[in-house]
Amino acid sequence: MKITNIKARTALIPIEAPTRHSYGSPDAFSRTILEVETDEGITGLGETFSWISDSSFDGVRNIVIGEDPFNLEKIRVKISQNNYLSRHPLLLAPIEFACYDIQGKMLGRPVYQLLGGKVRERVPISAYLFYRYPDNEGKGEIRTPEQMVGHTRELVNKYGFRSLKLKGGVFDPEHEFETIVALREQFGSEYKLRFDPNAIWASSTAIRMGNKLSDYDLEYYEDPAWGLNAMANVRSKVPQPLATNMSVIEFEQLGPAVAMGAVDVILTDPWYYGGLLHTKYLDMMCKTFGLSVGMHSGTEFGIGLTAMLHVAATMPNLVHAMDSHYHHLTDDILVGGLLKYKDGCMAPSDAPGLGVQLDEDKMTKYEALFLERMQDKNASTALDPKRPGWYPIVPSW
Ligand code: MG
């Protein structure tokens, strides 16, 4: 079997309302969907970040076409050592997902079985709580602690979440502290509660706020400040475990993070680490160093979420519910529409490969939406459309 073509298209799907975080406020999520074709008529699906356009694959297309999709290590080496400046994890990951999809379809096996098999039937997912601007009808703003509690109650009732993650780094730290207090008062110890200021605080602020939060039983305190030195400093002075998806984003940073005592929880990510197999390796490396494991979300659509679920189901050390922005989406490009939550969990499909199919009509519709957005320079470049010209200064508090 040989790979004959790689096709990449970018789609933009509206979300319920603009989500606010320290680096902006999107009103839609965009992702690039990959189709890897073979000479045996089997096509594999992949997904990656939207700035990885079809032309981004030009540099690797010729070195992947002609390869057997079962020769993943060879494909990985050829892509990641194409030059010494960049290992191309965001190009490699979607190609790897698609190759596993092809392998599974050919063998009649789900991808999780190609990754060692499941250690859990269902993967717990957290409610991803964002402050929000109002939607187009002026409704649904989430700014006050009471609004956040009401929104969280709706999500818990609708999806069954037992883990709650507040994305902060938007308002004054005291306001966000009051939001955590309100959430903890309304959601008792049967709910895990994590807080992520998104690396926008100075370490002095992160230390002060971490100590103020000591009575509110945080599952972990995620990236309260930016960089390994700041994380190590904060970690030595606050009571909570520290988690990161911003200070450790590649294997090379794991060693210094361990040596510096900078972190307790590594939030894995199949894109950052160049695919599903290396996410499994990271899981085992974390156990070796006594670190706990969770999983980061990057606004994935259903193909990406499905890939995450396949590997998450096989990771023995994944003790923290994985994050996913998915419940903010209003639609998906999959046949059957949005994937379903059950009791705050999802399970990977048992069908061959990833077990999902691309809905061509929806892909066409949302690709057109992306292209339309790209025509509008202001809309496509503004980090926060409600604050024209705004850009983040790190640290901001
Ligand atoms: Mg994070």
Side-chain angles (χ1 to χ4, degrees):
M1 179 184 261
K2 285 189 170 37
I3 294 170
T4 53
N5 193 20
I6 297 174
K7 188 165 81 177
R9 290 177 289 171
T10 306
L12 180 134
I13 299 180
I15 56 176
E16 292 173 347
T19 53
R20 303 186 64 180
H21 59 78
S22 64
Y23 286 84
S25 179
D27 63 359
F29 296 158
S30 53
R31 301 285 284 180
T32 293
I33 304 303
L34 214 66
E35 292 168 276
V36 174
E37 297 167 354
T38 64
D39 60 355
E40 297 194 18
I42 299 175
T43 297
L45 294 174
E47 179 185 315
T48 191
F49 292 80
S50 60
W51 60 87
I52 311 295
S53 61
D54 187 67
S55 61
S56 303
F57 286 92
D58 288 346
V60 301
R61 205 172 251 114
N62 286 341
I63 60 177
V64 173
I65 287 174
E67 289 296 340
D68 186 326
F70 281 81
N71 287 342
L72 274 175
E73 288 296 357
K74 185 178 175 190
I75 291 171
R76 182 186 308 283
V77 168
K78 286 179 75 173
I79 293 176
S80 64
Q81 296 176 15
N82 188 30
N83 66 54
Y84 66 87
L85 290 173
S86 170
R87 293 169 298 103
H88 307 303
L90 303 183
L91 294 172
L92 178 55
I95 292 173
E96 193 232 37
F97 301 169
C99 287
Y100 272 125
D101 192 27
I102 292 165
Q103 291 180 22
K105 285 170 176 167
M106 185 172 183
L107 297 169
R109 296 276 189 162
V111 166
Y112 64 76
Q113 289 191 334
L114 307 177
L115 295 168
K118 285 192 279 192
V119 294
R120 60 184 64 80
E121 290 301 317
R122 300 190 304 170
V123 180
I125 304 175
S126 68
Y128 208 160
L129 310 173
F130 283 80
Y131 296 106
R132 286 176 166 183
Y133 285 123
D135 62 19
N136 288 338
E137 294 168 2
K139 296 179 185 158
E141 184 182 26
I142 303 172
R143 180 175 46 82
T144 68
E146 295 72 25
Q147 288 168 335
M148 186 63 79
V149 165
H151 171 61
T152 307
R153 183 65 69 193
E154 285 176 20
L155 292 175
V156 165
N157 290 342
K158 185 172 180 184
Y159 300 114
F161 294 121
R162 307 296 282 184
S163 293
L164 313 174
K165 166 170 168 165
L166 176 64
K167 177 68 88 183
V170 175
F171 294 108
D172 184 281
E174 303 300 330
H175 178 90
E176 297 187 357
F177 169 76
E178 293 301 331
T179 307
I180 287 287
V181 172
L183 285 168
R184 181 46 90 205
E185 284 175 352
Q186 292 297 316
F187 297 91
S189 57
E190 67 273 30
Y191 292 88
K192 298 264 178 56
L193 179 58
R194 56 186 77 160
F195 178 41
D196 177 12
N198 228 32
I200 200 72
W201 291 352
S203 54
S204 53
T205 303
I207 291 164
R208 185 169 63 80
M209 298 310 297
N211 284 295
K212 279 188 75 161
L213 287 162
S214 63
D215 292 336
Y216 300 94
D217 189 22
L218 290 187
E219 178 187 14
Y220 54 71
Y221 190 23
E222 179 175 333
D223 288 309
W226 191 89
L228 288 175
N229 286 301
M231 290 287 281
N233 182 27
V234 174
R235 183 170 176 264
S236 70
K237 293 167 186 156
V238 301
Q240 302 88 358
L242 254 59
T244 188
N245 70 280
M246 298 174 89
S247 290
V248 181
I249 57 171
E250 55 186 327
F251 285 105
E252 285 76 7
Q253 291 164 334
L254 193 60
V258 171
M260 294 165 71
V263 65
D264 299 282
V265 183
I266 297 292
L267 301 172
T268 61
D269 184 302
W271 287 272
Y272 290 5
Y273 293 89
L276 304 178
L277 186 61
H278 277 207
T279 304
K280 287 263 312 186
Y281 291 166
L282 179 61
D283 179 73
M284 183 50 66
M285 289 170 74
C286 288
K287 184 176 184 186
T288 304
F289 289 114
L291 300 172
S292 302
V293 173
M295 191 172 284
H296 168 249
S297 167
T299 69
E300 57 281 346
F301 294 172
I303 294 168
L305 178 58
T306 297
M308 290 163 69
L309 290 168
H310 276 281
V311 71
T314 74
M315 290 164 59
N317 306 308
L318 183 75
V319 296
H320 298 288
M322 69 181 225
D323 285 331
S324 183
H325 291 77
Y326 195 72
H327 61 81
H328 293 272
L329 285 170
T330 56
D331 201 358
D332 203 346
I333 37 79
L334 298 180
V335 170
L338 287 162
L339 299 167
K340 307 281 188 298
Y341 291 85
K342 186 166 185 235
D343 301 327
C345 299
M346 284 193 191
S349 170
D350 296 318
L354 291 171
V356 291
Q357 290 176 268
L358 193 61
D359 183 320
E360 195 53 48
D361 290 343
K362 286 195 173 173
M363 187 66 211
T364 302
K365 171 183 171 183
Y366 292 118
E367 184 184 18
L369 211 53
F370 176 78
L371 294 172
E372 187 183 311
R373 177 65 63 96
M374 287 300 103
Q375 298 298 316
D376 182 341
K377 186 168 181 294
N378 288 332
S380 63
T381 58
L383 293 174
D384 181 344
K386 304 277 191 204
R387 292 186 283 176
W390 174 87
Y391 58 93
I393 296 172
V394 182
S396 281
W397 281 282

